[in-house]
Amino acid sequence: MNKYALVRYCLIMFLMINSNYLFSQSPCTAANYAAAPVVPANAYPYFSPSTGITVTATLGGGIGTLNNFQYACDGIAYNGANPVWWLNNAAQSITLTFSQPVCSFSVIVNGTGNTEEFYFSQVGPGPNNCLGVSGLCTIGWTVINGGTGMLYNGGGASSNLLVVQNSSGSTTYLLTHNGLAAGSRYALVDCFQPCPLSPICTVLPVEILSFDGESYNGYNELTWTTESELNNDYFVVEYSNTGTEPFIELGRVDGAGNSNTLLNYSFTDKNKPLSDLTYYRLKQIDFDGKFTYSDIIALESKSNQDGFIYPNPSTGNLFFDLKESRGDDIYTITYTNVLGNFHKEVINITKGINTYKVNDFSKLNSGIYFIQIMDKNNEVIKNQKIVKE
């Protein structure tokens, strides 16, 4: 190879490897999608002059074409293209192959029936859990399939520009339609975003930035914040009375699916266990069933902070040390055994520290009792389990 051929070869390789830097293109947004070229169905293989990328298309399931592709979103008209693909049954698919990895591309779809579903997946090597789909026009549209598809569930036609983002990068993507009604027009938009030469997944899984709680009279309030979310289906809030015994599910809180912004969550535990300390953790569940646990936190019951019942176990009398900071009050004390039988008594409480001797406790049968103290507003002041010997 002479030196001129060598220079030419090196120049070609440089242009191929560094096309990211020679061509500048941004993902489709509300600011630029209306001016972006729409690729006709008969234009493949398509060369993008803005990115230097060539795209080929492989059709499956007998996809046809239609003309008169003119739709608008939020009052702004798309560029037209003729012809465009026409998908009208669940067996149809389109495989797009780019000449280099892209981390973002967009398609225009038009759902014409009540149930039009559009799915996207990465084909070939590389992590698939970095792919997500968002819609520029969202009225009547919802994200489905763990963030990798969109559903149109409304009356009449509604177009949408779907932005497919995949921070792991791929050259090949499969676009699947599950049209249960009249069908949809479907076209690629020339606003791809090339990826680096060695793309890696930069979208983080669910990152819990903080998990905390506060105890109030009668309930515990749990709060947590996520820094990012990927395929996050929901959180399970679990508790344990000791922190070592098995954790028990209290409830569930829906996740956001995919997010790269700070999100705040909360859960109220109104059925606190009767121990002084309650231990909590979060179980985060992905759409595919995978899960992770948060750190464990412990909250001291507010009622236990405001009072103390002793001795425990007791062979006779029982003493209550109760702290009242608001002023004089009337407390109702309920003793309930494991059979559901209960005994009630009412006492007067003054502001400050009160010590109350329960003479009637010695008259109760031996066994386990759950003691609940409530003020005149039916707010729980204290819950505690006592053993009567």
Side-chain angles (χ1 to χ4, degrees):
M1 181 183 294
N2 61 45
K3 65 178 181 180
Y4 298 105
L6 179 61
V7 170
R8 181 182 177 186
Y9 172 79
C10 292
L11 179 60
I12 291 173
M13 293 302 296
F14 175 83
L15 292 174
M16 292 177 62
I17 294 174
N18 294 280
S19 59
N20 294 25
Y21 306 100
L22 299 177
F23 300 94
S24 177
Q25 181 67 41
S26 300
C28 283
T29 67
N32 68 11
Y33 81 92
V38 178
V39 183
N42 59 2
Y44 293 85
Y46 171 76
F47 174 78
S48 168
S50 58
T51 63
I53 294 175
T54 298
V55 188
T56 59
T58 303
L59 308 183
I63 295 176
T65 60
L66 285 177
N67 292 326
N68 303 319
F69 183 75
Q70 297 290 338
Y71 293 108
C73 171
D74 294 336
I76 303 175
Y78 295 116
N79 278 326
N82 290 308
V84 293
W85 290 309
W86 174 249
L87 296 83
N88 59 1
N89 67 60
Q92 296 173 333
S93 65
I94 301 172
T95 301
L96 295 177
T97 302
F98 299 85
S99 59
Q100 71 178 75
V102 295
C103 285
S104 176
F105 68 95
S106 299
V107 296
I108 294 176
V109 298
N110 177 256
T112 58
N114 290 329
T115 49
E116 294 288 331
E117 300 176 359
F118 305 89
Y119 302 95
F120 300 84
S121 61
Q122 171 184 324
V123 180
N128 283 280
N129 61 349
C130 295
L131 185 146
V133 180
S134 59
L136 189 60
C137 305
T138 57
I139 297 177
W141 296 78
T142 54
V143 176
I144 59 174
N145 199 41
T148 62
M150 291 204 78
L151 162 71
Y152 175 64
N153 191 19
S158 175
S159 53
N160 199 347
L161 185 135
L162 305 184
V163 180
V164 182
Q165 293 181 308
N166 180 15
S167 62
S168 70
S170 180
T171 58
T172 308
Y173 293 89
L174 177 66
L175 293 63
T176 306
H177 173 254
N178 185 21
L180 304 179
S184 175
R185 291 177 173 90
Y186 201 105
L188 179 68
V189 182
D190 185 357
C191 51
F192 329 133
Q193 188 177 39
C195 285
L197 292 177
S198 301
I200 59 174
C201 183
T202 57
V203 177
L204 297 175
V206 178
E207 291 289 323
I208 299 178
L209 187 63
S210 64
F211 177 39
D212 206 347
E214 184 72 26
S215 182
Y216 300 91
N217 283 330
Y219 65 96
N220 285 341
E221 186 75 14
L222 305 175
T223 57
W224 63 97
T225 299
T226 61
E227 187 173 16
S228 64
E229 297 187 21
L230 179 66
N231 298 328
N232 181 21
D233 192 0
Y234 59 93
F235 297 94
V236 178
V237 181
E238 300 180 337
Y239 83 95
S240 168
N241 286 328
T242 64
T244 56
E245 66 184 26
F247 278 78
I248 300 173
E249 178 177 334
L250 275 172
R252 301 187 177 189
V253 178
D254 289 338
N258 299 300
S259 170
N260 58 4
T261 61
L262 294 180
L263 295 177
N264 298 312
Y265 295 89
S266 64
F267 180 86
T268 302
D269 178 10
K270 296 182 179 180
N271 301 297
K272 292 187 300 182
L274 299 177
S275 59
D276 291 348
L277 285 176
T278 304
Y279 297 84
Y280 295 97
R281 72 180 181 187
L282 300 173
K283 183 178 181 181
Q284 181 273 315
I285 310 291
D286 290 341
F287 285 107
D288 60 5
K290 296 179 181 179
F291 60 88
T292 57
Y293 289 106
S294 71
D295 293 335
I296 297 173
I297 64 171
L299 294 183
E300 182 182 3
S301 172
K302 182 70 173 178
S303 58
N304 289 320
Q305 297 169 9
D306 289 347
F308 186 68
I309 302 176
Y310 59 95
N312 186 19
S314 172
T315 57
N317 293 328
L318 198 64
F319 296 87
F320 288 27
D321 284 348
L322 301 172
K323 179 183 178 182
E324 176 53 53
S325 59
R326 298 169 295 184
D328 295 352
D329 205 338
I330 298 174
Y331 284 5
T332 300
I333 306 174
T334 304
Y335 312 86
T336 305
N337 64 14
V338 294
L339 299 177
N341 301 321
F342 65 91
H343 169 76
K344 284 188 177 182
E345 60 181 307
V346 177
I347 62 175
N348 294 317
I349 295 294
T350 59
K351 185 176 182 179
I353 302 297
N354 295 259
T355 298
Y356 177 72
K357 180 180 179 181
V358 186
N359 295 314
D360 289 342
F361 193 72
S362 60
K363 302 176 183 178
L364 299 179
N365 295 328
S366 298
I368 296 175
Y369 288 84
F370 301 95
I371 299 178
Q372 183 180 74
I373 304 175
M374 302 179 68
D375 64 13
K376 59 185 177 184
N377 297 317
N378 292 324
E379 182 180 2
V380 176
I381 302 300
K382 187 169 186 64
N383 278 319
Q384 188 166 325
K385 181 173 68 175
I386 294 291
V387 177
K388 170 65 167 53
E389 295 182 341

